Amino acid sequence: MQDLLILGGGIVGAGVARDAAMRGLSVTLIDKHTVGWGTSSRSSRMIHGGIRYLELGDIHLVHEALAERAILLRIAPHLVHPQPFLFVLDPGEYWQWFRIGVGVLVYRALASRHAIGAHQPLTRLGLLRHEPLLSSAPLAGGALYQDAHGDDIGLVQSNIAAATNLGARVIENVHAQVRVLDNDIEATLPDGEHIAARSLVIAAGPWTDAVRAEIGLPDRGLVGGTKGSHIAFSLDRFPLRHAIAMRHPDDRRVLFCVPEPELGRVLVGTTDTETTELPDDLTVPPGEVTYLLRAVRHLFPALRLAESDISARWAGLRPLLRQQGAPSGRTREHLVLREGNVLTIAGGKLTTYRKMAEEAVDMLGGILGVNMPPCTTATVLLP
Ligand SMILES: Cc1cc2nc3c(=O)[nH]c(=O)nc-3n(C[C@H](O)[C@H](O)[C@H](O)COP(=O)(O)OP(=O)(O)OC[C@H]3O[C@@H](n4cnc5c(N)ncnc54)[C@H](O)[C@@H]3O)c2cc1C
C-alpha cells in the first residue's frame, strides 16, 4: 500500500512527488502522457512575481511569487536565471511614465530582501542604451525591472528525478482507472496491475475537472482555463538582447519578447482567450499569430518580420481557478481542496508550484495521521 497516489505529472504533480518523497512518504505518480507534456512545457517560461498583476491589485500573489522566484533562483541555478526586463511605453502612453516608474519601485519593494538588480524609470535614450534594437521603435520612455526566466520542462524533469531518486515510482503514458474507496484509493492500469494508496492528489492542471468526473468526485467546476499562444523567431532574424515588456498597440494588453539564447530564439507571447478546445488538442489560431506579429512589427518596424520568419508556435491552457470576468483579469491564485483522503490542487503558476506542493503535502499529514517532518524543498538544491 502506497502512502500517496498522484494523478498528473506537470510541474505541480512533480513538485508534490518530490516534496512527499523528501518527507518519507511512498509515492506513485501516474501521467496519461509523458511528464511535463501538458501546460508545463507550453508556458512563457517566466519565473516572476508578475508585474502585470500589480495593476490588478493582486499584491498577495505578487509577493508570494517573488519569494518563490528567489527560492527557485537559489535551488535551481542551472534551470532558472535572473532576467532584466525593459517595460516600454508608446508615445501615446507618455502619461503612464510616472505610473510605470512607481510600479517598478513597488515591485522591487514587494521583493524586499529578495530583490535582484536595478529597478528604475528610463527615458527613451536610457532604453536605447540597454537595447539598441529599439532605435526604430515608437517610444515615450519606460522602466527597467528584474525578473527571472526558467526552463519549464526542465523543472518538471528535475523534480521527477529528485522524487525517483528517493524511491518514488513514475508511470507515464498510462490512463489509469481510479476509484476512491472508503479508506483507500485503487488505481487499475491497462495491463491489469492494481495500485492501492492511502491518499490521492489530483494535479491535472486544465484536465482537473475531467479527471474528477472520471473518478466520480462531485463537479465543482474548479478550473476555467484560458488559452495562451506564443510565437518564436530565430535570434539571427530577431537579434534581441534584452527582454521587453510592452503593451499591444490595439488593446493595451501586456506582452513579452524574451530572448532565449539557449534555444537560439526570441519568444513572443502571449494571448489570453476563452476557448472551447480540449487541452489535448490545442491549436494556435491564425488570428492569434496575426495579433502577436502585429505587436512585434509595431515595436520593431525596421526588422520587417513576417509570418514566414516564425520558427515555432505553441499554445497552452492556463489551469486558472474558475472565475467570471475578462480572461486577463482572472486570478493566478491557487486552491488545495480536501475531500476525505483526496486533495485536488487547482490554479496557480509555474512560479508558485513549490509552495502549492508544500501546502498539499502539509495537508497529507492530517489525512495519513502521521507527524510529517517539515518541508525542506525551499533549501535543498534540485538535481
Ligand atoms: C500560455 C501560458 C503561458 C504561461 N506562462 C507562465 C509563466 O511565464 N510563468 C508562470 O509562472 N506560469 C506560466 N503559466 C502557467 C503555468 O504554465 C501553469 O500554471 C503550470 O504549468 C500548470 O502545471 P500543472 O502541473 O498544474 O498542469 P500541467 O502541466 O498541465 O500538468 C497536468 C498533467 O496532468 C496529466 N493528466 C491529464 N489527465 C490525466 C489523467 N486522467 N491521469 C493522469 N494524468 C493526467 C497531463 O498529461 C499533464 O501532464 C503559463 C500558462 C500558459 C498556458
Side-chain angles (χ1 to χ4, degrees):
M1 170 86 69
Q2 295 281 285
D3 292 320
L4 172 62
L5 174 69
I6 302 169
L7 287 182
I11 190 61
V12 176
V16 171
R18 174 184 185 230
D19 191 335
M22 284 169 78
R23 297 204 226 183
L25 300 187
S26 53
V27 177
T28 295
L29 179 150
I30 301 178
D31 198 294
K32 198 171 73 167
H33 297 277
T34 52
V35 295
W37 179 88
T39 324
S40 302
S41 55
R42 302 158 196 238
S43 79
S44 305
R45 297 154 61 88
M46 292 193 295
I47 303 299
H48 63 161
I51 200 156
R52 200 171 72 70
Y53 308 131
L54 277 185
E55 285 185 332
L56 305 175
D58 217 337
I59 302 292
H60 170 261
L61 172 69
V62 176
H63 188 253
E64 178 177 80
L66 285 170
E68 287 302 307
R69 181 188 76 180
I71 290 171
L72 292 178
L73 281 165
R74 199 170 57 235
I75 65 168
H78 53 309
L79 297 169
V80 180
H81 311 282
Q83 174 76 69
F85 277 80
L86 297 174
F87 201 116
V88 302
L89 295 171
D90 263 13
E93 298 177 309
Y94 190 72
W95 56 276
Q96 284 228 9
W97 192 65
F98 177 73
R99 189 164 171 248
I100 198 71
V102 172
V104 298
L105 293 177
V106 171
Y107 198 59
R108 187 191 183 289
L110 283 173
S112 59
R113 66 194 164 87
H114 307 304
I116 40 175
H119 294 67
Q120 61 193 74
L122 291 174
T123 61
R124 182 174 191 279
L125 272 180
L127 288 171
L128 294 186
R129 242 178 260 125
H130 282 88
E131 181 50 74
L133 209 61
L134 286 169
S135 60
S136 59
L139 288 181
L144 171 69
Y145 72 96
Q146 311 290 327
D147 252 324
H149 192 59
D151 176 354
D152 50 7
I153 181 88
L155 279 167
V156 177
Q157 287 162 347
S158 177
N159 276 277
I160 290 288
T164 50
N165 289 345
L166 291 165
R169 180 178 177 202
V170 174
I171 306 170
E172 295 181 288
N173 295 311
V174 160
H175 195 162
Q177 300 305 314
V178 176
R179 290 198 304 156
V180 178
L181 306 173
D182 283 344
N183 293 316
D184 58 7
I185 311 293
E186 187 188 74
T188 307
L189 309 192
D191 64 5
E193 180 185 350
H194 293 289
I195 298 172
R198 296 168 63 210
S199 63
L200 170 67
V201 167
I202 300 171
W207 289 269
T208 299
D209 291 312
V211 169
R212 287 177 56 87
E214 263 180 36
I215 298 175
L217 292 167
D219 178 10
R220 300 193 188 279
L222 295 173
V223 173
T226 63
K227 185 161 92 165
S229 298
H230 301 86
I231 53 176
F233 299 88
S234 77
L235 270 173
D236 294 341
R237 187 67 186 86
F238 188 0
L240 188 70
R241 291 208 307 249
H242 214 294
I244 306 284
M246 63 181 292
R247 289 193 192 279
H248 195 283
D250 296 338
D251 60 8
R252 318 316 297 167
R253 279 189 58 251
V254 176
L255 298 178
F256 300 95
C257 301
V258 185
E260 300 187 314
E262 69 283 7
L263 298 172
R265 72 182 187 189
V266 175
L267 167 160
V268 178
T270 172
T271 57
D272 203 343
T273 50
E274 302 279 5
T275 182
T276 50
E277 286 180 354
L278 295 173
D280 291 84
D281 307 306
L282 291 177
T283 58
V284 181
E288 301 208 356
V289 172
T290 309
Y291 171 88
L292 294 172
L293 195 55
R294 161 136 169 76
V296 193
R297 287 169 61 96
H298 173 77
L299 197 61
F300 301 98
L303 292 178
R304 298 182 179 282
L305 290 165
E307 193 171 345
S308 54
D309 294 311
I310 295 173
S311 58
R313 55 187 84 190
W314 67 98
L317 198 56
R318 297 178 182 83
L320 305 179
L321 294 180
R322 189 175 290 272
Q323 252 186 348
Q324 298 303 316
S328 292
R330 292 190 195 156
T331 183
R332 270 58 178 169
E333 296 275 5
H334 64 265
L335 166 86
V336 184
L337 173 74
R338 178 176 172 182
E339 295 157 302
N341 51 356
V342 179
L343 296 181
T344 303
I345 313 180
K349 290 153 58 77
L350 177 69
T351 308
T352 51
Y353 86 87
R354 194 210 60 81
K355 187 78 187 149
M356 295 163 73
E358 178 179 345
E359 277 177 40
V361 179
D362 282 349
M363 289 168 76
L364 285 175
I367 293 177
L368 297 170
V370 293
N371 230 344
M372 197 76 84
C375 173
T376 52
T377 56
T379 49
V380 178
L381 292 184
L382 275 166

